[in-house]
Amino acid sequence: MQRRQFLQGLALGSAGLMLPVLQRSWISRSEAATDRAMVVVMLRGAVDGLSVLVPYGDDVYEESRPTIAIPAPGMPGGVTDLDGYFGLHPALAKLLPLWSAGKLAFVPASGSPDGTRSHFDAQDYLESGTPGVKNTRDGWLNRLLAEVRQQNPIQAVSISSTTPRILAGAQSIASVAPGKRATRKLALDRAFVAESFAELYAGRGKIGAIYQEGRQAREAIMAGLNQEMQKADNGATSVAGLAGDARRLGQLMQRDRRVQLGFMQVGGWDTHINQGAAKGQLANKLRLLSSGLVALSDALGSRFNQTVIVVMSEFGRTVKENGNRGTDHGRGNVMWVLGGGVKGKKIYGKWPGLDRSTLEAGRDVPVVTDFRDVLQPILTQHWGLSDVQLARVLPDYGSKNSISGLLK
Amino acid sequence: MKRRAFVSLAVVGGTAWLSGIRPAAAATPDPKVLHVLNRLGFGPRPGDVARVSRMGVERYIQEQLSPEKLREPANLQRQLNKFATLKLDSGDLVREYRRPGSRDQRRMRRRMLRRKRRQVVEEARSARLLRAVESPRQLEEVMVDFWFNHFNVYAFKGLGGLWIGSYERDAIRPYVMGNFREILGATAKHPAMLLYLDNWRNTAPDSPGARGRFKGLNENYARELMELHTMGADGGYTQKDVETLARVLTGWGLANYRRSTDTGFYFDARRHDVQPKVVLGQQLTQTGEQEGEAALDLLASHPSTAKFISFKLAQYFVTDNPPQRLVDRLQKRFQATQGNIRAVLATLFQSDEFWDERYFQKKYKTPYRYMISAVRSAGIDIKNPKPLVGALAQLSMPLYGAQTPDGYDQVEKAWLNPDGMMRRLNFAVLLGGGRSRLEMRQRKPIEPGQLSDTAAMFLQPGTLRIIASKRRGLRSGLILGSPEFMYH
């Protein structure tokens, strides 16, 4: 108990709440800048995409999963039909309004062209944006930030306690600690501490400027979360867990338009054992995730219209369930794309079906769509990157099969 | 009420010290003394400046170059002895890892091993930080940091982290000041590296042993071996060399339950590529496992390797963009001594560039160095290193947590950023305010006077004046969070 408190004590949850809110001039000043935004949600541990976007129309699906298949539409605990072939897991029902409104799309049989089944390597490639190349130092989100950089310290915000791989790189980012620590007051936030350091770092050239930038980022984030906290205290929704994180991020982006890139991560998808079906382990996680995505969308408010949210996971899971009522590491997964500008209510990319002859190594959904094929339209249309810029964000990517029509 | 007890910060004889709390020890510290304590070690602990001033920097350097003659304090030994997993045998771990069984049994075992891995990583981290803070063999600890990074493995790729303690103990520590070829060979054959860069699966496709998950070539290790461990990206090898080197290293893998070995390394001749091979223009005449040894000889003695290692050492010990002259001199020494690391270091510490005052106090600390130097400064007697493990992760540099094979960057560009700065300052305030619990005691703030012959020595008079005007309870945090203390 003590140890835990104390670990938290040393940890920097990147936001506090007690400082007087500094309404800074930038909020009104930067209106000229673009409102476009993006949030990447990384599901670490390989979510079972076949339980998310369920190919109930394929007989092989149910045959392969005697205890963990999600029943067909109309059955108890059945999927919600989307297009007569695919259905959505019942635990994701909260997302149906977004689907119906045409704000949510899926890309099945997608993932990394590199065949690794190691969580670590596969996540690494998804985040570096360079499948098969181990030595890429920075992440593609950081490289995107370089292309769209504006002089503001909170353009990219990560909900994480350390810098994630996808945001590693030359561009500075701001961070908010996940969970309750997000709104924890820190030693550094007390006015007399902040003022003392400001004095110490004044006129110190580069390091002084970096300090300034950090301070400003922190104050902006604290101001945003301060409001969020007050709302939360009014009993709107819980601030705990993923939904809390998502809502904080959405509020921040809604309140301060300078925040353009957001990142969140959720672990615990590695369901080798007792995965469950309509109910159970995975269903519970999916329910939390859908609550989180809805919270994010709601909190973004009007800005949802300028935002693209991408949900991805390192690889899919085996078509057949294993001897422990779970699934093992597979290949192709499903990517989710949400946002006001998304041409949703649609399933993109080619779907090879579950026939054994089309499965990779006779067991896994193959990767038909490169994850970069999904990012490509987002980077070029949504962010307006040129070919040259795209090649800097996704080097060695040919973009021959990019998904077309994904965005309005 | 304590205000009266505090006199003021004063500047005497060009040397800043904190008066009124504790008499200043050294009057004017020699900048060279501070420099060697900063670069050969992780900064001064209380008393170090006086001690090195007395013995002279030359003798200090000699002392540090021969760590085997320095005894590790009994107190440190006692603490290290508490970590049971530090003694785990590498070969035993391989036996356990590869024990046959039904699918279900293996699954259960993996769960158990994952729990064990967590304990191994936790204890290895605690041990490393304890040593970095408390060991008098500071240069050795600095070189462990350097070489671990150079031959980086990541603790959370699969179950490879089970070997993280053994890797540092058996493949890194014994050789940090030895011969380069030795550390290269030790890392090449260690299960942690074999797993991390996949060479344990590297198999000649047409060999009799090629089946199951041992189907084909895996170039991961061969590539990094050339690019990161020896010759450097511009070292003058070709893609063809990488492929051939991968074939040379086919069969270099893990022992298994039946064929167990002491180290866990096992050369499986049945998976080895028996075709003749040319690497870097040289026909390899040896066969089998010896072929790999010969390739490592070739790589270790290549001029590009001498150059690459020399550059990295110069960058680590002197400045982010080291002068070519220095790199050249180190390279010559490296080649003349067949990669004797101690000799190269001795040359480095004698060089004009090392003693060029332009570089003093100008290298931005990595989070690792920053944290350790702060704890050393305060002279804290650590009873509980775990808070430091957590704090280091918060500073975005979790120990054994560098995911890419090139390890953590050692230059300012990688670490000087706004978010990182805020995290450091928060750490400084908490540590200064006695809220770190390193001593397992409630709230024992660091007295500013405790820092008078350590961190405070590096501060400019203006900085000290500002700090003197702040609340007493905040002063230590400000000293440790000052712009000056970010550099070494």
Side-chain angles (χ1 to χ4, degrees), chain B residues 71-292:
Chain B
R71 179 174 287 183
E72 281 189 326
N75 184 34
L76 175 59
Q77 281 298 341
R78 246 196 320 276
Q79 293 218 63
L80 295 174
N81 280 337
K82 283 191 287 196
F83 302 124
T85 66
L86 284 189
K87 299 179 189 99
L88 284 175
D89 185 273
S90 171
D92 287 345
L93 281 170
V94 170
R95 255 189 304 282
E96 204 173 333
Y97 176 71
R98 306 211 59 199
R99 192 189 308 180
S102 71
R103 216 177 143 82
D104 284 358
Q105 285 172 326
R106 277 184 286 134
R107 220 191 296 277
M108 292 301 284
R109 193 167 320 113
R110 282 185 78 81
R111 283 171 84 182
M112 190 267 290
L113 288 175
R114 256 198 292 275
R115 277 197 297 275
K116 189 165 185 168
R117 177 189 65 181
R118 193 180 319 148
Q119 194 194 348
V120 167
V121 175
E122 226 171 73
E123 295 195 346
R125 284 171 163 170
S126 290
R128 164 81 86 82
L129 292 171
L130 266 176
R131 279 187 152 129
V133 171
E134 297 192 349
S135 174
R137 303 169 174 179
Q138 280 286 291
L139 181 59
E140 182 172 281
E141 292 308 311
V142 163
M143 291 306 289
V144 166
D145 176 48
F146 177 87
W147 286 120
F148 195 104
N149 248 308
H150 183 81
F151 293 105
N152 184 50
V153 300
Y154 174 62
F156 298 99
K157 172 175 171 169
L159 287 169
L162 280 171
W163 283 269
I164 209 88
S166 145
Y167 183 67
E168 182 169 311
R169 179 194 66 205
D170 302 332
I172 302 288
R173 284 193 173 269
Y175 309 107
V176 294
M177 285 192 229
N179 185 281
F180 179 76
R181 174 64 179 82
E182 290 176 326
I183 196 167
L184 183 67
T187 54
K189 291 182 162 182
H190 197 281
M193 183 63 82
L194 291 165
L195 283 160
Y196 175 56
L197 288 177
D198 306 318
N199 201 72
W200 76 290
R201 293 188 185 202
N202 184 18
T203 301
D206 303 325
S207 62
R211 62 191 149 85
R213 51 186 168 181
F214 302 103
K215 272 197 223 55
L217 286 182
N218 190 312
E219 291 176 8
N220 276 349
Y221 177 64
R223 182 180 308 281
E224 308 307 1
L225 179 56
M226 284 185 145
E227 179 178 331
L228 298 176
H229 297 171
T230 59
M231 297 171 70
D234 308 319
Y237 57 89
T238 63
Q239 172 57 25
K240 180 88 185 138
D241 285 324
V242 172
E243 283 169 36
T244 314
L245 185 58
R247 291 200 290 123
V248 169
L249 295 168
T250 45
W252 282 48
L254 294 178
N256 64 28
Y257 196 63
R258 276 165 296 133
R259 292 176 304 220
S260 63
T261 62
D262 289 348
T263 60
F265 172 80
Y266 179 78
F267 174 74
D268 186 352
R270 295 171 61 256
R271 295 192 289 110
H272 183 69
D273 183 318
V274 293
Q275 300 300 312
K277 302 175 193 79
V278 177
V279 174
L280 298 167
Q282 293 239 25
Q283 176 81 48
L284 297 177
T285 53
Q286 295 81 350
T287 57
E289 185 181 344
Q290 287 312 306
E291 189 182 67

Side-chain angles (χ1 to χ4, degrees), chain A residues 1-3 5-14 44 116 118 120-121 123-125 127 132 134-137 153 158 160-163 165 169-177 181 184-190 192-197 199-201 204 206-207 209-218 270 272-273 322-324 327-328 363, chain B residues 103-104 107-108 111 114 154 156-158 196-198 220 223-224 227-228 364 384 386-398 402-409 412-414 416-419 421-423 425-431 435-438 442 460 462-464 466-467 469-471 474 477-479 481-484 486-487:
Chain A
M1 190 66 208
Q2 267 201 345
R3 180 189 307 143
Q5 276 175 0
F6 140 64
L7 280 171
Q8 289 183 349
L10 269 189
L12 179 112
S14 292
R44 297 191 189 278
T116 180
S118 140
F120 161 68
D121 285 336
Q123 287 177 27
D124 199 47
Y125 294 150
E127 297 185 80
K134 289 226 169 188
N135 278 329
T136 309
R137 272 227 107 106
S158 173
S160 58
S161 46
T162 65
T163 306
R165 180 84 171 86
Q171 301 299 317
S172 57
I173 63 153
S175 67
V176 175
R181 282 198 282 116
R184 238 177 108 97
K185 190 189 176 187
L186 298 171
L188 200 61
D189 296 329
R190 285 170 295 172
F192 76 97
V193 178
E195 282 157 17
S196 298
F197 275 116
E199 208 178 320
L200 225 45
Y201 278 82
R204 285 308 186 104
K206 187 177 173 191
I207 196 171
I210 299 265
Y211 169 80
Q212 276 293 328
E213 204 183 316
R215 191 69 237 159
Q216 282 167 14
R218 198 156 173 74
D270 199 15
H272 287 282
I273 299 165
N322 64 27
N324 298 77
T327 47
D328 297 320
R363 52 171 248 171
Chain B
R103 216 177 143 82
D104 284 358
R107 220 191 296 277
M108 292 301 284
R111 283 171 84 182
R114 256 198 292 275
Y154 174 62
F156 298 99
K157 172 175 171 169
Y196 175 56
L197 288 177
D198 306 318
N220 276 349
R223 182 180 308 281
E224 308 307 1
E227 179 178 331
L228 298 176
Y364 193 68
N384 169 28
K386 277 194 188 154
L388 294 180
V389 172
L392 198 48
Q394 293 293 323
L395 295 172
S396 282
M397 200 177 182
Q403 300 186 6
T404 49
D406 47 355
Y408 288 120
D409 243 325
E412 175 173 314
K413 214 176 86 186
L416 179 53
N417 61 65
D419 199 50
M421 179 63 69
M422 292 299 112
R423 289 166 188 270
L425 300 188
N426 198 62
F427 172 78
V429 173
L430 290 171
L431 184 68
R435 287 158 63 192
S436 64
R437 308 257 170 100
L438 295 172
Q442 302 274 333
Q460 294 168 12
T463 307
L464 284 169
I466 293 171
I467 294 173
S469 72
K470 305 301 173 198
R471 312 183 180 189
L474 184 58
L478 291 172
I479 292 170
S482 67
E484 289 94 328
M486 299 297 152
Y487 294 89

